[in-house]
Amino acid sequence: MLSVTRLLGGEVRPGDVLRYGEARPPHLLHFAPEKRPVVVWNLTAQCNLHCMHCYANAHRRPLPGELTTVEGERLLDDLADMGVPVVLFSGGEPLMRPDIFHLAAYARRRGLRTVLSTNGTLVDAAMARRIADAGFSYVGVSLDGLEPVHDRVRGQRGAFRQALQGLSLCRRLGLRVGIRFTVHRKNVDQLPHIFDLAEAEGIDRLCVYHLAYAGRGEKIRHLDLSPWETRQVIDYIFRRAEAWAARSSPVEVLTVDNHADNAYLLMWVQARHPERAEEVHRLLLWNGGNQSGVAVASIDPLGHVCVDQFSWHRPLGNVRERPFSSIWNDDRHPLLKVLRQRPRPIEGRCRHCRFLPICNGNLRARAESYFGHFLAPDPACYLTDWEIGLSGQEAWEEARRWPVPVQEVA
């Protein structure tokens, strides 16, 4: 997760991060030199929508054997005891789980910061009040564009209006709210409209997600943007973010799930604000790029612990058998050993890349889906061979070993 607005606008400085110690405000967690995992807990696989890119492959009914309320309380006790900074309640649609407000309030009583990720369609006035009373510090609502596009991607007419109403109701109660927009070829033209909407509605945060090849997202990976298209999107995001920062707009802009963005932002600052390049580089080193298995963890509806929410096919263990803390702190696990190496032993273009310390090899789930190999290069990297410091001979050799179809780079 890259805080574009705060880095381009100079709102975060290395001294800010160091001054707060472990009790950092949320906007500084991305830059903490020491890492404790933000935990994405997918409470249920049940959802009232059928989104084309859903990484959880959610359906109308919950999975048999989802964690019980008592098991959830035990999990939250363990997370609190190990000092987890944030628990993100997700799904499926987490508001379809009957005990979500009990679990959220329980987490808050244990001192955990709680975040809600929802499609927003179930948030009426009464539901918004329950969200506020449960102590959620932030509510992220997914939008895929304006009404026709959003409803088509979500598979339900009226979903856009319901989601927008949910955002508005939460905001009226003083909750911090954000829009989550996953960009692909079916909605890339909607990005300017989403920026305009976020500003018009007084949204606190706009997160632009790159497509992850997991769940139903794996089935539509052919709809991912080409490197050239991705660069156009990131250029647009950076320009809008700089314009907002220049006039002190309260909307924070972030990009998520493509850590080539870190390198591209550093090059952007070096070219336009060279006097700030050194401190931005330091912050990006602390950010660390991809944090799967380091500062990001996932727990699926059945209690499997994974390195992120896109890697459910590679469970580390189950909280019914061992506490999360025991699973997560087991550095002998081969997957954790690989992900916690610096630099990671990523193959292909990544092993030559001068930006590996601030990208960390990008998203492993996307590389594995595309190439069938966990340590392959991420095919969604949009940086050129010249930018990453790859020589002509090296580029030729890596292109032979890890070929990307012509139609996907044109």
Side-chain angles (χ1 to χ4, degrees):
M1 184 172 284
L2 178 67
S3 184
V4 175
T5 309
R6 295 187 185 279
L7 284 171
L8 290 183
E11 296 180 37
V12 175
R13 299 294 172 93
D16 300 330
V17 180
L18 296 173
R19 183 172 67 253
Y20 281 97
E22 293 186 3
R24 288 187 183 85
H27 70 277
L28 294 180
L29 289 176
H30 312 307
F31 308 105
E34 74 286 344
K35 303 294 184 184
R36 290 183 182 176
V38 170
V39 175
V40 180
W41 180 16
N42 298 82
L43 284 80
T44 181
Q46 184 178 15
C47 189
N48 59 322
L49 303 181
H50 192 84
C51 308
M52 64 189 299
H53 57 278
C54 176
Y55 70 80
N57 198 23
H59 292 282
R60 293 288 177 176
R61 297 181 181 277
L63 289 174
E66 293 182 353
L67 293 181
T68 66
T69 303
V70 172
E71 289 171 330
E73 292 175 346
R74 190 179 305 127
L75 168 63
L76 292 168
D77 285 335
D78 185 42
L79 298 181
D81 290 342
M82 70 176 288
V84 164
V86 178
V87 179
L88 192 153
F89 288 73
S90 188
E93 172 47 57
L95 293 177
M96 296 192 77
R97 178 153 170 156
D99 61 353
I100 181 174
F101 296 112
H102 168 81
L103 291 168
Y106 187 91
R108 290 295 297 148
R109 289 197 297 273
R110 286 305 320 268
L112 290 163
R113 184 183 294 155
T114 54
V115 170
L116 177 66
S117 178
T118 174
N119 63 43
T121 60
L122 303 179
V123 183
D124 57 15
M127 185 72 78
R129 172 52 63 188
R130 297 187 73 186
I131 292 170
D133 290 345
F136 283 105
S137 61
Y138 174 78
V139 179
V141 175
S142 299
L143 290 180
D144 300 296
L146 299 185
E147 187 167 3
V149 173
H150 178 83
D151 289 358
R152 186 162 57 248
V153 171
R154 296 274 148 177
Q156 180 170 298
R157 185 174 296 178
F160 175 80
R161 294 186 182 185
Q162 293 170 333
L164 201 59
Q165 174 184 269
L167 274 167
S168 178
L169 289 169
C170 288
R171 185 171 172 273
R172 289 179 199 172
L173 293 175
L175 286 162
R176 292 185 69 250
V177 297
I179 291 174
R180 299 179 170 191
F181 176 81
T182 299
V183 63
H184 46 75
R185 287 183 179 169
K186 291 290 186 181
N187 70 350
V188 64
D189 63 318
Q190 298 292 296
L191 185 60
H193 302 308
I194 290 294
F195 267 85
D196 293 342
L197 178 68
E199 187 169 31
E201 294 291 327
I203 301 301
D204 297 291
R205 173 180 281 187
L206 171 57
C207 297
V208 181
Y209 286 73
H210 296 260
L211 183 66
Y213 307 164
R216 288 196 288 274
E218 186 168 27
K219 298 176 183 177
I220 66 161
R221 72 183 191 196
H222 62 284
L223 296 177
D224 201 2
L225 305 180
S226 71
W228 179 76
E229 291 168 326
T230 302
R231 290 178 81 104
Q232 286 190 310
V233 164
I234 301 304
D235 283 342
Y236 181 83
I237 291 170
F238 285 5
R239 288 196 299 270
R240 288 292 298 258
E242 279 197 323
W244 279 355
R247 52 189 174 86
S248 301
S249 169
V251 186
E252 181 185 10
V253 180
L254 300 97
T255 65
V256 190
D257 293 334
N258 191 328
H259 309 283
D261 294 350
N262 291 27
Y264 199 59
L265 185 138
L266 179 59
M267 291 190 292
W268 184 282
V269 171
Q270 288 171 335
R272 293 165 173 79
H273 313 286
E275 73 284 356
R276 295 189 48 242
E278 184 177 347
E279 71 172 20
V280 168
H281 188 214
R282 184 179 182 187
L283 289 164
L284 289 171
L285 285 170
W286 286 348
N287 173 280
N290 178 270
Q291 292 296 296
S292 300
V294 181
V296 174
S298 171
I299 302 168
D300 77 6
L302 302 181
H304 296 109
V305 176
C306 305
V307 298
D308 60 39
Q309 63 270 42
F310 311 120
S311 302
W312 289 359
H313 62 294
R314 286 181 169 269
L316 304 172
N318 193 289
V319 297
R320 286 181 165 130
E321 299 166 0
R322 295 169 63 196
F324 173 91
S325 55
S326 175
I327 296 169
W328 194 252
N329 292 325
D330 185 1
D331 290 330
R332 298 168 299 173
H333 193 286
L335 187 59
L336 292 178
K337 286 177 69 174
V338 167
L339 292 176
R340 291 174 183 175
Q341 286 185 49
R342 295 304 294 262
R344 286 177 175 171
I346 310 299
E347 301 182 21
R349 301 172 78 238
C350 295
R351 67 192 177 102
H352 305 281
C353 181
R354 67 189 179 101
F355 294 117
L356 185 57
I358 63 173
C359 170
N360 210 20
N362 221 330
L363 193 61
R364 297 295 84 220
R366 196 159 44 218
E368 186 174 22
S369 168
Y370 193 89
F371 288 112
H373 181 40
F374 187 75
L375 294 178
D378 188 333
C381 178
Y382 54 90
L383 304 179
T384 68
D385 294 337
W386 178 83
E387 286 170 334
I388 70 173
L390 199 62
S391 72
Q393 180 64 27
E394 290 167 339
W396 182 79
E397 291 174 355
E398 298 300 353
R400 287 186 62 195
R401 187 175 180 191
W402 307 105
V404 179
V406 174
Q407 67 268 22
E408 296 200 26
V409 299

